[in-house]
Amino acid sequence: MPYYIGVDGGGTKTAYALFGEREELLALREGPGTNHENLEGAFDEAAARLWEGVQGLLREAGKRLDEIDFTLMGLAGVDHPFQYEALMERLRAYGLERLEIFNDGFIVVKAGSRSGAAIGLNLGTGTCCNAIDRQGRRVQLGGLGEFSGDIGNGQWIAQQAFRLAYDDLVLGLEPTALTGLIFGTYRISDAEGLLALLETLEPRTFIDLFFEAANRGDPPVLRLIDQMAERGAQLIAAHLRSLDFPEEGAEVVLSGSIHTKLPSGVYVERLKQKAEALSGRRLEFMILDRPPVTGCVKWILQAYR
């Protein structure tokens, strides 16, 4: 029976999974982040962590490396050929021969789409939009922070939510439902209380309150929702213009915690409307409902078996 390993490596955590020939999950473990850009030891430390994680997975599953037919990794920070080559060289030196590496944004596309060719919009810690078309061509847009106009990710939402409450409470500008929601959640009642939150700010809580205000129809929050939807639509439309996708029903996979853990019907509907209007196409949107690491085994079975 053939066995396959999939790895989803991010900045804060990495998932290691062992799969069988029918995509069945046989073992799963989690380890620390493996983005070389966040590690003091750069590529050497990232490769060492990845090798340790693979070894741990094999031990837990009672398997040997020579029993593994193929390993596919989706790794954050692998955006350019020199990064790919640096990690491949180090991992092969450990003994991983039948191996392929892609940016982690592409395994999301494979995990969430039926055809294997789709656009993936990821809003999590950061923002990026990856696509794989019907010819197998891969393109990543965004992911450069302010340099590429990335918005809609967790950090951006938390900052914008705080700023709306600050403008309301401290500067006396437009009222927002966020102020009352923040007061009720943190049991504060004035500007000093709001400013004190900066010492222990919990981004997830502010993100929750942001979407609650959106669902209540709060005008200043809805304007930010429009900005998020507009930027997402621009990224999706750019892929549709330059790559080969069906004229009708091209798949768009929404991933990352903003889409999967904090879905807002208001935001998703506006994103769909703007993307279809901007591209002139009917699109099929789907929220990723499975771990991204499952995209590794789907990719292996499509291209490397």
Side-chain angles (χ1 to χ4, degrees):
M1 174 180 177
Y3 298 103
Y4 311 107
I5 288 178
V7 179
D8 174 21
T12 57
K13 62 183 179 180
T14 301
Y16 303 85
L18 178 69
F19 298 96
E21 62 182 334
R22 293 182 295 277
E23 300 185 24
E24 66 271 32
L25 179 63
L26 303 175
L28 178 67
R29 81 187 306 264
E30 191 172 284
T34 49
N35 185 338
H36 68 274
E37 295 174 337
N38 299 341
L39 300 175
E40 185 175 348
F43 296 112
D44 289 335
E45 186 173 355
R49 286 190 179 190
L50 289 163
W51 175 240
E52 181 181 349
V54 168
Q55 287 184 305
L57 178 70
L58 292 172
R59 284 195 300 269
E60 291 178 14
K63 301 297 179 186
R64 303 184 312 273
L65 184 60
D66 61 12
E67 295 181 88
I68 306 303
D69 288 67
F70 202 88
T71 298
L72 190 145
M73 298 183 176
L75 303 179
V78 180
D79 304 306
H80 303 285
F82 81 91
Q83 297 166 325
Y84 168 87
E85 293 294 343
L87 283 170
M88 286 291 283
E89 177 184 357
R90 287 160 174 79
L91 290 170
R92 282 176 174 155
Y94 280 117
L96 285 169
E97 291 295 334
R98 289 184 54 75
L99 168 71
E100 188 56 277
I101 297 174
F102 299 96
N103 179 272
D104 62 331
F106 292 113
I107 65 171
V108 165
V109 173
K110 293 294 186 179
S113 68
R114 291 186 302 274
S115 65
I119 297 166
L121 178 61
N122 185 292
L123 298 182
T125 305
T127 299
C128 66
C129 190
N130 295 55
I132 304 173
D133 75 359
R134 291 186 291 188
Q135 308 303 319
R137 291 176 294 185
R138 304 185 308 276
V139 176
Q140 177 176 325
L141 302 176
L144 303 176
E146 292 185 4
F147 292 100
S148 52
D150 297 346
I151 67 172
N153 54 69
Q155 182 180 14
W156 183 87
I157 291 173
Q159 289 174 339
Q160 295 300 318
F162 187 95
R163 180 176 175 178
L164 286 181
Y166 181 90
D167 285 355
D168 174 13
L169 192 59
V170 179
L171 302 185
L173 300 179
E174 185 176 17
T176 173
L178 271 169
T179 303
L181 291 170
I182 292 169
F183 278 7
T185 299
Y186 290 97
R187 298 183 180 180
I188 58 176
S189 59
D190 55 25
E192 288 302 318
L194 176 68
L195 296 175
L197 293 179
L198 286 174
E199 296 182 9
T200 58
L201 183 64
E202 301 168 330
R204 173 61 187 267
T205 301
F206 269 70
I207 295 167
D208 285 336
L209 298 179
F210 176 87
F211 282 115
E212 183 173 343
N215 291 332
R216 293 185 180 189
D218 186 57
V221 170
L222 289 179
R223 283 198 294 274
L224 290 175
I225 290 285
D226 264 343
Q227 290 181 31
M228 291 172 56
E230 183 71 23
R231 191 57 173 175
Q234 291 169 349
L235 293 168
I236 292 166
H239 281 309
L240 291 168
R241 284 194 302 271
S242 63
L243 296 174
D244 178 20
F245 290 104
E247 286 298 320
E248 290 293 324
E251 297 175 296
V252 179
V253 180
L254 303 180
S255 66
S257 58
I258 302 305
H259 289 137
T260 62
K261 297 179 181 178
L262 300 160
S264 165
V266 174
Y267 157 69
V268 173
E269 185 57 32
R270 292 191 182 191
L271 173 64
K272 181 177 180 180
Q273 291 173 354
K274 288 177 179 291
E276 291 187 335
L278 196 57
S279 66
R281 301 194 192 192
R282 184 180 64 82
L283 305 172
E284 182 181 0
F285 282 75
M286 54 200 74
I287 294 175
L288 186 65
D289 60 358
R290 65 199 66 186
V293 73
T294 60
C296 294
V297 69
K298 291 182 69 174
W299 207 335
I300 290 171
L301 296 176
Q302 288 170 1
Y304 299 100
R305 181 164 55 178

